[in-house]
Structure formats: C-alpha cells, structure tokens
Amino acid sequence: MAGLIPESFIEELLGRTEIVELIERHVPLKRAGREFQACCPFHDEKTPSFTVSPQKQFYHCFGCGAHGSAIGFLMNYEGLEFVDAVEELARMAGLTVPREAGSAQRPDDSLYEILDRANQFYQEQLRGHPEAADYLKQRGLSGEIALEFEIGFAPAGWDNLLKHLGEGKETEALLRRAGMLSEGKSGSYDKFRQRVMFPIHDRRGRVIAFGGRAMKDDGPKYLNSPETELFHKGRELYGLYRARKGQARLDRIIVVEGYMDVVALAQFGFDNCVATLGTATTGDHAELVFRAADEVVYCFDGDKAGRKAAWRALESTLPRLREGRQARFLFLPDGEDPDSMVRSKGAEEFTKMLETAQPLSEFFFRHFTAMVDMDSIDGRARLVELARPPLQTMPEGVFRDMMMEQLEALAKHRLEDDRDPAPVRKSRPRLDKAAQLQQRTPLRLALAHLVQNPSLVEWVSESSKLKDCDLQGMEIYHELIDFCSKHPNMTTAQLLEIWRDHPAQPHLQTLATWSLEGEKKQQAQEFRDAMTSLELQWTDTLIGRLQKTVDQDSTEKKLQLDLLLRRQELKQALAGEEK
Ligand SMILES: [Zn+2]
C-alpha cells in the first residue's frame, strides 16, 4: 500500500529506526514517564506538549495535533515527499530501498551526478569570465551571495558543457535526459549559452535543473530546464531547500516571481523567499509552502498579469487553508519588482509592507465586488454565484465559516459608503479539536487499542470478531483484526505506514494519538471490555431488528431468545463477573 516501495521494506526500515534517536537529532527531548517530551518544533509554545512514544514509535503534539511515524516526522520536519523521506531514513540506517518489479525506475544517481558536475563547471566559468561577474555586481549582488546560491555562468559557444564533461554517447545521453541539450539538424548542442546560471535544488539539496538569465537581449530573458525525470516545475520552488535548511518551521514564507528576486532579497536578510519556476502557483506549491510556514505572503507585480497570477495562487491556496494557516498578497507598484523595491525602500520598510499586505479574505472579496454592481440585487446575487464555488473548495472549519458569513453579509447589505469589506481575521490554531471531539465509542476504543498495540489481537475471541456485524465502520474493524493477527509484533508506526494509502488511515492516526491509561494488563482489559460492549451493541441491534418483524415464526423466536441470553452474559461480563 505504500506505493512502489515494498511494504516489507517499510516495516524493516521502521523496525531499524529508533524514532527517539531520530527526533533527538533535531529537537532536545526529555524523558517523562514512558514517553519523551519537548517543546513542539511545529508550533510556537513555552510548555512542552510534543511527545514521542518509544513503544508506539510515534510522535504526537497535543498543542497543534501534529503526529506520525519516523517517516512522517522527516516529511513534516524537512518538507520531504514520502519516497524521499524513506530514502533518507534508509540512508541513515544503511539500507538500500528496493523497488517492486514493474515499478517506474527511479532516476539513477548518474543523472544527479552529471548535473552536479555541470553546476561545478558553470561556477568555474563565472570566475573565468569577468563580464559575467561584473553583470552580477551591476545588479547589486555581492560575491558572497553569488557563492551561496552557487550562481554560475554558461559562456557563449555551442558545446562548452558537452566538451568539458567529456564527449561520448553516454555522457551525451545523460545530458539529454537531464535537459541540458538542445537538438539541431547536425546534432545536440548546449542548451544554455551566454547566460547567468542559477542551479535549482530539490528538497534534499541536489541539483535537478537550472535557470538561466540572458546577459544580452537576444532570445528569452529567462530560460529554464525543460521537464525531466528529476524536474517537475509544478512541484519545485526555487530557494526552498536553502530557506528550510536547518529549520523545521519558518514564521513566514515569501513567494516571488523570479530567482533574481529570491537572491536579492536574501542579500537583504530575507532568507525565507522562494520563487515559482515559470509556472503559475500550483496546489503542490501551496502545500510545500505551508509545510514550511504557517503564513505565506505572495508578492506579485501590481499590473494585470501580476493580479492574474495572484488570483491563480489564491485558487491553489484556498483548499489548503486549514486552521492556523494564513495567506497575504502584496502587490508592488507598477514597474517595481521585489528586487528593486527592497533596494529603494530598505529591509525595514519592506518588512512593514509584508506585514501589512492584503489578507487573502480582502483580496478575495475585492476581486468579486469589483466584478458586479453591488448596488443592485441582481449584482449581489451574482456575487454569491461567483464567490461560493471557490469558497466551497476550502476545508471545513472556522475560517471557511467566516468567509461564508462575510459573503452572506455582503449579499444582504449594500456596502456602506463603498468601504472595502473588512478582512476576516484568522483565529489561532485550535487545540487538536478533531481528536477531542472524537467520542470514545466502543468501536473506536477497540480500534484505538489495536492500533496502539497490535499484539492485543490475541484477546480477540471468535465471538468478538463479529463476523456478520454490519454496523457502521465494521469493515475497518474486521480488516484491522485480520491485519494484526498476521502482524502482531508491529509497532503503531509500522502499521500506520503500511496503511498509509488506506482510506481509513487518517482515522487510525487520530486513534493512535488517544491517550490510553494504565499498564499493559489494564489496557488488555479495557480492550476486551470495548469488544464486549461492541458485541452488546450488535446484539441489541439484532434484537431490535427481530422485534420489528410482525409475524414471528418459531425459528426467529428461538433466535431472539438466544440473543437475549447472550445479552445477559455480555452485561455480566462487563460488570466484571469474569475471571
Ligand atoms: Zn505542536
């Protein structure tokens, strides 16, 4: 279920990884009873509510609700995708990730290697070409920052890179796969020529592509690597690796349009900037950004194209605006970009501009109220028609409710003296509400025990398997019991990772965070009680169903009697009559 990586490997990997050790490398942990505690790396707090359980191999924060296995921790902390997190953990454990037969080949290391060598080459060339270094100086970049961003130079000519990396079919094929060549009538030639080169790193810091800025006015001003096995524009952000280096959470992340902006802002101390790579902001981008910070400021040109780009960003952001996340929009005056802005205004002024940027709600409602005649009923009805569908893409929660209310208010009343709609204020993240609201029904309690301690499956008797029970949620109960009987020695983390793609997994994750008191013996008792209560619930349902049958024949009467007897037994069991 874990994609193309065999389940058995995920199990082995988590079996060899000690989550306490892994997390300790990033967050100092203190022992507290059976668990370890720390101030949460995923939200601001003064008293620790982040706990790590060696038994479950699982972490959970009671403050913000963050939770998961060692794999989940790396995904969350370093912003890695699932496969990358698995590879990273495997590297630490000295294991190689096997691939299931028939799965798409992972790009081999030689591809990363050749891009790395290209990167070295371009940087050497920058040192050898004063005109390129001068150009950067002219743009106001220091040598230090150029070095930090590994900025290089692709000299004029058709085959500099090809020649330097060694001609030959193999190298050429690799360079082609890496998107570094163009094809002409008489063969391949260097794609990037006479350009300042910006290497693009993936979230693990490996070079996967380049962006090149023209120094002369021929050809496109910016040229990016094409999509390759390694590089997918819609999923990468320039500068993200550097911005996140060594930090789990940033307070804020700034999304700008070009890599020059990222570099220039970094020179002024803004280390939290990223740029999309010649594409509109996608949903993947928005997700990446929110994994790194709770607040994002989209910084766009104030012209028509900039506003259009901002609207696309807003549409990609709405479905990801969970509790505690917020987005703002900063539109720059005509003819300005972040680079020129920070130079003319200075860092302090630019920070102020970021802090007072338009909240998403304001941008959203202004966009629509400008499109309709707010003075007429028809216009206001149109407003509702236009604004509701995008609002419906938002996750349920306080913020969405407030946006809906604002829309209703706008539809009902004409805006007084044409004032802008008041921005909707975001509330602070609520405490793990979902978990708190989960009522401890017998079924959920039984599932929680099993997820937290799969070996409890030994207490499941034939009758408590409730094979024919069709109550809501029972499929998962049956499936989980079946799974645990096959893997009684799994940890919570292993189980959840193997169930990662199962539709019920998020529910099980929540149940894994429930605190279940007592030692193992007491927990076993509680688990059995939960199963007994569940069976009782089912027995009552069956009795109820039988009572509804008008013409009861003798078989049904007999069955009813049996059930009533069983009910009696179950009640007694719960009252503590066994042993
Ligand atoms: Zn937290």
Side-chain angles (χ1 to χ4, degrees):
M1 278 178 246
L4 305 167
I5 301 168
E7 286 174 8
S8 57
F9 181 75
I10 300 290
E11 189 186 340
E12 185 191 356
L13 180 64
L14 290 175
R16 291 235 215 147
T17 305
E18 174 48 61
I19 194 168
V20 176
E21 242 170 66
L22 173 77
I23 294 181
E24 183 105 72
R25 287 188 204 176
H26 307 280
V27 186
L29 295 173
K30 265 205 189 117
R31 188 174 260 289
R34 280 183 299 181
E35 303 188 325
F36 290 83
Q37 274 189 340
C39 281
C40 179
F42 303 114
H43 84 279
D44 262 340
E45 64 175 6
K46 297 225 164 59
T47 45
S49 46
F50 179 82
T51 63
V52 185
S53 158
Q55 183 215 332
K56 295 189 220 169
Q57 288 291 306
F58 196 74
Y59 73 90
H60 176 222
C61 171
F62 294 96
C64 67
H67 57 253
S69 66
I71 298 174
F73 180 80
L74 273 190
M75 289 173 72
N76 234 332
Y77 193 87
E78 309 224 354
L80 299 177
E81 298 290 336
F82 173 76
V83 174
D84 288 332
V86 169
E87 290 200 332
E88 193 64 28
L89 268 189
R91 198 184 53 73
M92 293 180 206
L95 299 172
T96 314
V97 183
R99 301 283 161 181
E100 267 169 8
S103 71
Q105 267 291 298
R106 285 287 286 179
D108 48 80
D109 290 343
S110 50
L111 218 46
Y112 291 110
E113 213 173 282
I114 199 118
L115 284 164
D116 188 52
R117 286 175 62 204
N119 190 27
Q120 303 290 343
F121 171 69
Y122 290 141
Q123 287 180 74
E124 280 159 27
Q125 293 301 304
L126 181 68
R127 289 192 283 275
H129 286 81
E131 75 269 25
D134 284 348
Y135 169 83
L136 290 178
K137 245 179 244 154
Q138 249 176 53
R139 296 285 315 242
L141 295 188
S142 67
E144 243 175 0
I145 208 86
L147 201 65
E148 225 186 293
F149 279 88
E150 299 170 15
I151 297 174
F153 178 62
W158 299 96
D159 54 3
N160 289 305
L161 184 69
L162 256 176
K163 264 199 190 130
H164 177 78
L165 295 184
E167 281 162 296
K169 285 265 172 289
E170 221 168 287
T171 313
E172 205 178 305
L174 270 178
L175 282 172
R176 193 172 298 119
R177 272 172 68 197
M180 300 304 289
L181 297 179
S182 291
E183 302 307 317
K185 275 185 200 131
S186 48
S188 310
Y189 57 92
D190 287 359
K191 184 178 188 68
F192 297 98
R193 302 175 311 279
Q194 226 185 357
R195 285 176 182 273
V196 174
M197 299 297 289
F198 299 79
I200 298 161
H201 296 91
D202 68 5
R203 270 151 273 153
R204 291 168 71 187
R206 300 172 298 193
V207 177
I208 51 169
F210 289 91
R213 194 195 188 288
M215 282 178 49
K216 296 259 162 62
D217 283 336
D218 53 344
K221 194 161 144 196
Y222 289 102
L223 184 68
N224 289 329
S225 295
E227 298 265 317
T228 65
E229 297 156 57
L230 303 185
F231 180 48
H232 306 281
K233 286 179 193 157
R235 283 191 243 143
E236 302 294 339
L237 287 166
Y238 178 73
L240 187 62
Y241 169 69
R242 187 185 169 276
R244 292 205 57 165
K245 225 151 113 185
Q247 287 183 85
R249 300 296 290 168
L250 301 163
D251 293 335
R252 173 189 296 146
I253 212 158
I254 306 164
V255 180
V256 293
E257 287 183 281
Y259 18 77
M260 266 314 252
D261 296 323
V262 174
V263 180
L265 285 169
Q267 190 164 309
F268 280 82
F270 296 92
D271 286 321
N272 51 349
C273 301
V274 299
T276 52
L277 292 149
T279 59
T281 311
T282 64
D284 283 339
H285 287 146
E287 189 58 45
L288 281 175
V289 160
F290 279 131
R291 271 196 217 158
D294 284 334
E295 186 192 356
V296 51
V297 182
Y298 291 104
C299 188
F300 288 107
D301 292 350
D303 62 5
K304 213 172 156 200
R307 292 202 164 253
K308 211 174 145 196
W311 188 255
R312 273 299 314 271
L314 178 141
E315 285 178 323
S316 300
T317 304
L318 280 179
R320 287 159 188 87
L321 271 183
R322 294 202 314 254
E323 287 302 306
R325 292 175 166 184
Q326 59 176 327
R328 291 174 178 277
F329 292 83
L330 175 61
F331 293 104
L332 299 173
D334 233 6
E336 299 275 6
D337 53 32
D339 180 5
S340 63
M341 207 68 204
V342 73
R343 278 174 211 290
S344 64
K345 300 269 182 193
E348 209 171 303
E349 189 61 30
F350 192 70
T351 306
K352 261 189 215 147
M353 291 172 74
L354 291 170
E355 273 160 8
T356 53
Q358 226 175 76
L360 176 135
S361 57
E362 195 179 315
F363 178 41
F364 182 87
F365 287 114
R366 273 192 190 181
H367 174 85
F368 286 117
T369 49
M371 285 165 75
V372 300
D373 173 13
M374 288 298 288
D375 285 335
S376 75
I377 294 180
D378 291 356
R380 297 203 297 275
R382 181 86 186 117
L383 169 78
V384 175
E385 233 172 77
L386 289 170
R388 189 165 284 162
L391 288 185
Q392 274 160 349
T393 67
M394 293 178 72
E396 278 175 33
V398 180
F399 190 45
R400 175 173 144 156
D401 294 347
M402 288 169 86
M403 292 285 279
M404 287 290 190
E405 275 162 28
Q406 172 100 42
L407 179 61
E408 269 166 43
L410 282 171
K412 268 188 212 136
H413 308 286
R414 194 167 73 83
L415 287 176
E416 281 167 51
D417 52 44
D418 199 29
R419 257 184 311 159
D420 286 318
V424 176
R425 293 256 166 259
K426 287 280 305 188
S427 58
R428 293 296 305 156
R430 285 180 301 176
L431 291 182
D432 199 8
K433 261 262 160 72
Q436 281 175 3
L437 287 179
Q438 290 253 23
Q439 243 194 334
R440 296 204 167 192
T441 63
L443 175 60
R444 287 184 189 145
L445 204 54
L447 293 174
H449 274 290
L450 268 179
V451 167
Q452 297 199 17
N453 194 351
S455 69
L456 284 178
V457 75
E458 64 170 306
W459 295 102
V460 181
S461 64
E462 219 29 57
S463 80
S464 50
K465 277 188 187 161
L466 295 173
K467 286 207 186 83
D468 304 316
C469 175
D470 58 8
L471 292 175
Q472 209 195 345
M474 284 307 282
E475 312 80 35
I476 180 82
Y477 177 79
H478 293 136
E479 215 175 320
L480 191 63
I481 286 179
D482 193 45
F483 183 87
C484 291
S485 355
K486 286 179 193 143
H487 311 275
N489 297 318
M490 270 198 184
T491 60
T492 305
Q494 285 168 322
L495 185 151
L496 287 173
E497 284 304 342
I498 286 176
W499 283 56
R500 180 170 276 277
D501 297 331
H502 193 287
Q505 202 262 10
H507 183 54
L508 292 185
Q509 284 223 28
T510 307
L511 295 176
T513 67
W514 278 16
S515 53
L516 302 172
E517 303 301 326
E519 290 303 315
K520 201 158 175 191
K521 207 175 142 205
Q522 193 188 332
Q523 293 197 359
Q525 186 58 52
E526 211 181 283
F527 173 58
R528 280 148 72 197
D529 285 348
M531 285 188 298
T532 312
S533 302
L534 192 58
E535 198 184 339
L536 184 62
Q537 198 183 331
W538 174 232
T539 312
D540 281 344
T541 310
L542 284 179
I543 293 169
R545 284 183 196 169
L546 279 176
Q547 275 166 350
K548 277 192 193 137
T549 340
V550 188
D551 304 310
Q552 290 186 7
D553 65 19
S554 56
T555 3
E556 272 168 342
K557 278 229 170 79
K558 167 87 172 55
L559 188 55
Q560 188 174 4
L561 195 63
D562 288 348
L563 282 169
L564 283 168
L565 283 172
R566 178 67 187 145
R567 188 172 187 282
Q568 202 58 33
E569 286 168 22
L570 291 167
K571 283 235 162 192
Q572 277 167 3
L574 271 182
E577 301 258 332
E578 81 244 294
K579 263 176 242 168

